[in-house]
Amino acid sequence: MKSDLPKLLLDIKDGVIDLGWGHPSARLHPLQKIKQSTLSMLSYDHAESLQYGASQGYGPFIETLARFLSQQKGYSKNKVFSNQLFITSGASQAIDFICTLLTVAGDSVLVENPTYFVVEGMLNTHKLNVIGVNCNENGLDLDDLEHKLKSGLKPKFLYTIPTFHNPTGTTMPSQNRQRLVSLANKYNFHIVADEVYQFIYFNEPPPTSLLDYDTQGKVISLGSFSKILAPGLRLGWIYSNPQLIKTFTDSPLAFSGGGLNHFTSTIVNELIGMNLLESHIHELQHEYLRRATVMDNSLKQYFDNSIEYIFPKGGYYFWIKFIEKLNTSNFLDKAEELGVSFRPGNFFTHTSDYDNFLRLTYTLYEPYDLVEGVKRLSKVFSK
Amino acid sequence: MKSDLPKLLLDIKDGVIDLGWGHPSARLHPLQKIKQSTLSMLSYDHAESLQYGASQGYGPFIETLARFLSQQKGYSKNKVFSNQLFITSGASQAIDFICTLLTVAGDSVLVENPTYFVVEGMLNTHKLNVIGVNCNENGLDLDDLEHKLKSGLKPKFLYTIPTFHNPTGTTMPSQNRQRLVSLANKYNFHIVADEVYQFIYFNEPPPTSLLDYDTQGKVISLGSFSKILAPGLRLGWIYSNPQLIKTFTDSPLAFSGGGLNHFTSTIVNELIGMNLLESHIHELQHEYLRRATVMDNSLKQYFDNSIEYIFPKGGYYFWIKFIEKLNTSNFLDKAEELGVSFRPGNFFTHTSDYDNFLRLTYTLYEPYDLVEGVKRLSKVFSK
């Protein structure tokens, strides 16, 4: 029987090269590695993967993950301990969970302006008062943040994407991370650091996790297997201080369900144990750099000097600024007619500051589609 | 490397037969069926299971589930449609999700007194005002409920376990279900019906899902694969009216993560498609009845007339009342010394009404352990 319901989140019209979706490449999904590790896990004669799991997460997986993270350049300068990790069902669920546990309706929370466009919806669902902080070429504008804090703003937390920011692609430099943590200490708020792009770097590892800069237990770092393995697994982790990890572990939700995603944890535990994750990340880094380079070349070829952008050092996106004052969202219909799409700048903000920006993703499509997509896009914006 | 972290939620001291945990039997976990369906799913050459899934849930799985539920005696008298289903990562997550979407801190919500002991913690996490409604041999005491509503109580929702109630084992009769829905209509509140035990019936199917009685879109029924397949999968569903299903589907959390548990959905879709679920449920029904019978016989043999209980018609539990006025929680230490444990009545309530009750689970252990456990328990309570 044919189902009319969608299978996937991706919703792309026939014939359109949609450079808007921030999704990984379907071709690069590690189906064989998942198959191999799942088979191995299911070959044990116990059925541990099927029972209610431990609240913090499946113990052996937490140990495996701690070892893995400790070994990664660009994750942490410090050894990662198992009492600093809590297993989630992805970064989105983690944000929701943190809102439930650490906030109450009416609390103020800060986000970057611009930021990941769905996060504001999640914060609104928790009836929080969402306030934007400006960004610059170094990510969060700390002067603007400090100004707001000095003016009396008392946020419960700041949500930030410090590395390979969505949508701007910027990375917060090391000294800014130190200053941000000082502000969190002084004004007593948590920093929810969405670090899901941390491993998707190109030539140089980015500054390590914001948790490395934490001095007074303010930082809650969100990790995820969505960008480095497979989003369908709904698996991620929180990396934070042992006290907060205990708060999450002791939460009724984590207890009642027996951890947040036990079965897929047992699979990824096996996959990391079989040494299959690191090579996959390297493959992604290599391939995404190739695609970013292709997109860069096409943008140069087809757009001349009408746009500005910085070549990304990692992550998923080009953040394109049109020099001319125009509103990119007015071009969406025409784009679709010409067989291409994108995320307009004003998707990521409530201000009009980014009307003349748009975000392009280079991870989802193959290089030849990227070239064709950028070519079509140039026609959309040509006079 | 040996991990010190727990693997599973179960935390039982060596030598103790713990009749307290409401967990399924590890021996009955359908490891072969899960293996077979996972292999089949992973043999497709697409990697659909690894990408972000659709917000409502994986389309083919929703269709499969709708067909399956429509065929089950004791689930619904009506055909179940795909626009009445939303895929969750289990009933606990569904309760959390409903609190986030439909309530705000300070709202009043009703629960049965007694009720599943973790649910109150979850409601408290959302800063809700939790109020207990009395129970009787027919489950929720509707006179007490009506009295509270007439007195001006305005709950956002009532959380109820209408079938094979935890901990009491009672089932709400059909006419009570009608009256409950009338009250929800009249006083305008939702009914969150936790129906995870619906399929675990013995000789006769119970009254069908509370949604069958719904007339004005008040009922939100929670289903789960935890009790009929495997809790480790973290997979369940909401069965409700299309308008609420759309609210859940359109929520930022469901969008951001691409559905709440995509990968395990693709496995269970395969498992149901291969006709492996129904036979497993029959096996559970058969085996759990056998175990309940063994526990019943042992209780009769070892306890004489000091206790009262009703033989369950399904579900997981015996709800035991001591005729003598005693507080069962005072016997926990002695029980552990004698190698047995249980959940005392006051775990499930804030009142002292159930001090002389305890809950025993018959699903986790094999019959010979149940006999030995009940025998030890009788010594705990002997003079």
Side-chain angles (χ1 to χ4, degrees):
Chain A
M1 198 173 85
K2 175 85 173 62
S3 169
D4 292 332
L5 294 173
K7 295 174 170 181
L8 301 179
L9 195 58
L10 275 176
D11 179 18
I12 299 177
K13 292 223 172 90
D14 277 352
V16 172
I17 296 172
D18 192 340
L19 303 172
W21 291 93
H23 285 198
S25 174
R27 185 177 63 77
L28 299 178
H29 283 321
L31 188 60
Q32 289 313 315
K33 289 174 176 175
I34 295 285
K35 200 185 281 190
Q36 200 181 336
S37 44
T38 305
L39 274 178
S40 173
M41 185 278 284
L42 289 172
S43 71
Y44 300 128
D45 57 0
H46 61 71
E48 219 163 70
S49 62
L50 303 184
Q51 188 56 287
Y52 285 103
S55 302
Q56 188 186 347
Y58 180 58
F61 177 51
I62 294 175
E63 304 279 9
T64 300
L65 182 61
R67 269 198 306 281
F68 176 81
L69 295 174
S70 297
Q71 290 158 0
Q72 301 309 305
K73 276 191 300 184
Y75 189 73
S76 176
K77 292 193 186 83
N78 303 309
K79 186 170 190 294
V80 176
F81 291 97
S82 56
N83 65 356
Q84 296 175 300
L85 296 173
F86 173 82
I87 304 304
T88 68
S89 49
S92 304
Q93 184 273 327
I95 294 166
D96 182 72
F97 187 64
I98 288 165
C99 288
T100 300
L101 290 175
L102 303 184
T103 73
V104 65
D107 280 348
S108 291
V109 291
L110 303 173
V111 299
E112 284 143 347
N113 174 28
T115 190
Y116 170 47
F117 63 100
V118 189
V119 87
E120 192 175 350
M122 287 196 277
L123 302 173
N124 285 336
T125 313
H126 287 271
K127 294 95 186 171
L128 299 172
N129 177 28
V130 183
I131 295 158
V133 179
N134 293 339
C135 288
N136 56 34
E137 68 282 6
N138 290 323
L140 198 69
D141 177 344
L142 294 173
D143 291 335
D144 186 46
L145 173 62
E146 186 161 13
H147 173 75
K148 285 185 163 69
L149 295 166
K150 275 187 177 160
S151 307
L153 191 63
K154 294 193 189 311
K156 268 291 170 67
F157 65 73
L158 161 76
Y159 169 81
T160 175
I161 308 168
T163 300
F164 312 136
H165 183 263
N166 178 5
T168 66
T170 54
T171 293
M172 193 185 291
S174 194
Q175 63 274 25
N176 289 33
R177 292 174 188 236
Q178 281 172 9
R179 185 175 162 207
L180 174 58
V181 167
S182 300
L183 289 171
N185 291 340
K186 182 170 176 187
Y187 293 96
N188 194 28
F189 59 89
H190 283 292
I191 303 169
V192 178
D194 187 341
E195 301 188 319
V196 301
Y197 302 104
Q198 188 74 21
F199 293 104
I200 308 293
Y201 59 84
F202 297 150
N203 300 307
E204 290 289 313
T208 54
S209 168
L210 210 61
L211 199 76
D212 271 4
Y213 301 82
D214 197 15
T215 53
Q216 297 179 22
K218 297 300 185 201
V219 176
I220 305 170
S221 160
L222 312 182
S224 173
F225 290 96
S226 290
K227 306 301 186 197
I228 58 175
L229 195 64
L233 297 172
R234 304 315 311 131
L235 196 63
W237 67 91
I238 290 175
Y239 175 39
S240 191
N241 64 80
Q243 203 176 334
L244 271 174
I245 296 300
K246 190 170 180 328
T247 300
F248 302 143
T249 301
D250 292 346
S251 69
L253 177 61
F255 180 84
S256 184
L260 297 178
N261 217 351
H262 181 65
F263 183 79
T264 60
S265 295
T266 65
I267 293 173
V268 177
N269 178 49
E270 205 70 16
L271 189 142
I272 298 176
M274 294 166 90
N275 250 322
L276 298 175
L277 182 56
E278 206 165 340
S279 58
H280 182 64
I281 293 175
H282 290 156
E283 191 185 334
L284 292 178
Q285 290 169 336
H286 178 81
E287 178 64 21
Y288 289 161
L289 172 57
R290 190 166 81 95
R291 295 183 185 197
T293 306
V294 166
M295 185 173 267
D296 181 43
N297 290 338
S298 299
L299 287 166
K300 284 188 177 125
Q301 180 180 349
Y302 293 110
F303 274 91
D304 301 316
N305 298 318
S306 62
I307 58 171
E308 285 178 353
Y309 59 88
I310 294 164
F311 186 82
K313 291 178 172 160
Y316 267 39
Y317 312 109
F318 277 83
W319 183 234
I320 311 276
K321 177 185 179 178
F322 284 82
I323 290 163
E324 194 186 340
K325 278 286 164 208
L326 49 79
N327 187 332
T328 57
S329 63
N330 294 337
F331 291 79
L332 274 174
D333 288 346
K334 186 177 171 194
E336 202 166 274
E337 277 168 33
L338 295 179
V340 66
S341 197
F342 58 87
R343 287 275 185 275
N346 60 19
F347 250 61
F348 304 92
T349 177
H350 282 299
T351 68
S352 57
D353 300 348
Y354 297 97
D355 282 357
N356 58 324
F357 284 69
L358 57 80
R359 189 191 78 176
L360 300 181
T361 305
Y362 47 81
T363 55
L364 180 63
Y365 283 95
E366 299 296 319
Y368 54 87
D369 281 328
L370 295 176
V371 173
E372 179 61 26
V374 170
K375 187 175 162 189
R376 291 179 191 175
L377 195 68
S378 70
K379 288 187 186 139
V380 175
F381 288 95
S382 71
K383 293 293 155 63
Chain B
M1 197 173 85
K2 175 87 173 60
S3 169
D4 292 332
L5 293 173
K7 294 174 170 180
L8 301 178
L9 194 58
L10 274 176
D11 179 18
I12 299 177
K13 293 223 172 90
D14 277 351
V16 172
I17 296 172
D18 192 340
L19 303 172
W21 291 93
H23 285 198
S25 174
R27 186 177 62 77
L28 299 178
H29 282 322
L31 188 60
Q32 289 313 315
K33 288 174 176 175
I34 294 285
K35 200 185 282 190
Q36 199 180 337
S37 44
T38 305
L39 274 179
S40 172
M41 185 278 284
L42 288 172
S43 71
Y44 300 128
D45 58 0
H46 61 71
E48 218 164 71
S49 62
L50 303 185
Q51 188 56 287
Y52 286 103
S55 302
Q56 187 186 347
Y58 181 58
F61 177 51
I62 294 174
E63 304 279 8
T64 299
L65 182 61
R67 271 199 305 280
F68 176 81
L69 295 174
S70 297
Q71 290 159 0
Q72 301 309 306
K73 276 191 301 185
Y75 189 74
S76 175
K77 292 193 185 83
N78 304 309
K79 187 171 190 295
V80 176
F81 291 97
S82 56
N83 65 356
Q84 296 175 300
L85 296 173
F86 173 82
I87 304 305
T88 68
S89 48
S92 304
Q93 184 272 327
I95 294 166
D96 182 72
F97 187 64
I98 288 164
C99 288
T100 300
L101 289 175
L102 303 184
T103 73
V104 65
D107 280 348
S108 292
V109 292
L110 302 173
V111 299
E112 284 143 346
N113 173 28
T115 190
Y116 170 47
F117 63 100
V118 189
V119 87
E120 192 175 350
M122 287 196 277
L123 302 173
N124 285 336
T125 313
H126 287 271
K127 295 95 185 171
L128 299 172
N129 177 29
V130 183
I131 295 158
V133 179
N134 293 339
C135 288
N136 57 33
E137 69 282 7
N138 290 323
L140 198 69
D141 178 344
L142 295 173
D143 290 336
D144 186 45
L145 173 62
E146 187 160 13
H147 174 74
K148 286 186 162 69
L149 295 167
K150 275 187 177 160
S151 307
L153 191 62
K154 294 193 189 312
K156 268 290 170 68
F157 65 73
L158 161 76
Y159 169 81
T160 176
I161 309 168
T163 300
F164 311 136
H165 183 263
N166 178 4
T168 66
T170 54
T171 293
M172 193 185 290
S174 193
Q175 63 274 24
N176 289 33
R177 292 174 188 236
Q178 280 172 8
R179 186 176 160 205
L180 173 58
V181 167
S182 300
L183 289 171
N185 290 341
K186 183 171 175 186
Y187 292 96
N188 194 28
F189 59 89
H190 283 292
I191 303 169
V192 178
D194 187 340
E195 301 189 317
V196 301
Y197 302 104
Q198 188 74 20
F199 294 103
I200 308 293
Y201 60 83
F202 297 150
N203 299 307
E204 291 288 313
T208 54
S209 168
L210 211 59
L211 199 76
D212 272 5
Y213 300 82
D214 197 16
T215 53
Q216 296 178 23
K218 297 300 185 202
V219 176
I220 305 170
S221 161
L222 312 182
S224 173
F225 290 96
S226 290
K227 306 301 186 197
I228 58 176
L229 195 64
L233 297 172
R234 305 315 310 133
L235 196 63
W237 67 91
I238 291 175
Y239 175 39
S240 191
N241 63 80
Q243 204 176 333
L244 270 174
I245 295 300
K246 190 171 180 327
T247 299
F248 302 143
T249 301
D250 291 346
S251 69
L253 177 61
F255 180 84
S256 185
L260 297 178
N261 216 350
H262 181 65
F263 183 79
T264 60
S265 295
T266 64
I267 294 173
V268 177
N269 178 49
E270 206 70 16
L271 189 142
I272 298 177
M274 294 166 90
N275 249 322
L276 298 174
L277 181 56
E278 206 165 340
S279 58
H280 182 65
I281 293 175
H282 290 155
E283 191 185 334
L284 292 178
Q285 290 170 335
H286 178 81
E287 178 64 20
Y288 289 161
L289 172 57
R290 189 166 82 95
R291 295 183 185 196
T293 305
V294 165
M295 185 173 266
D296 181 43
N297 290 338
S298 299
L299 287 166
K300 284 189 176 123
Q301 181 181 347
Y302 293 109
F303 274 91
D304 301 317
N305 298 318
S306 62
I307 58 171
E308 285 178 353
Y309 59 88
I310 294 165
F311 186 83
K313 291 178 173 159
Y316 267 39
Y317 312 109
F318 278 83
W319 183 235
I320 311 276
K321 176 184 178 176
F322 284 83
I323 289 164
E324 195 185 339
K325 278 286 164 208
L326 49 79
N327 187 333
T328 57
S329 63
N330 294 337
F331 291 78
L332 274 174
D333 288 346
K334 185 177 172 194
E336 203 167 274
E337 278 169 32
L338 295 179
V340 66
S341 198
F342 58 88
R343 286 275 185 276
N346 59 19
F347 250 60
F348 304 92
T349 177
H350 281 298
T351 68
S352 57
D353 300 348
Y354 298 97
D355 283 356
N356 59 323
F357 283 69
L358 58 79
R359 188 190 78 176
L360 300 181
T361 305
Y362 47 81
T363 54
L364 180 63
Y365 284 95
E366 299 296 319
Y368 55 86
D369 281 328
L370 294 176
V371 173
E372 179 61 26
V374 170
K375 188 176 162 189
R376 292 179 191 175
L377 195 69
S378 71
K379 288 188 186 139
V380 175
F381 288 95
S382 72
K383 293 293 154 64

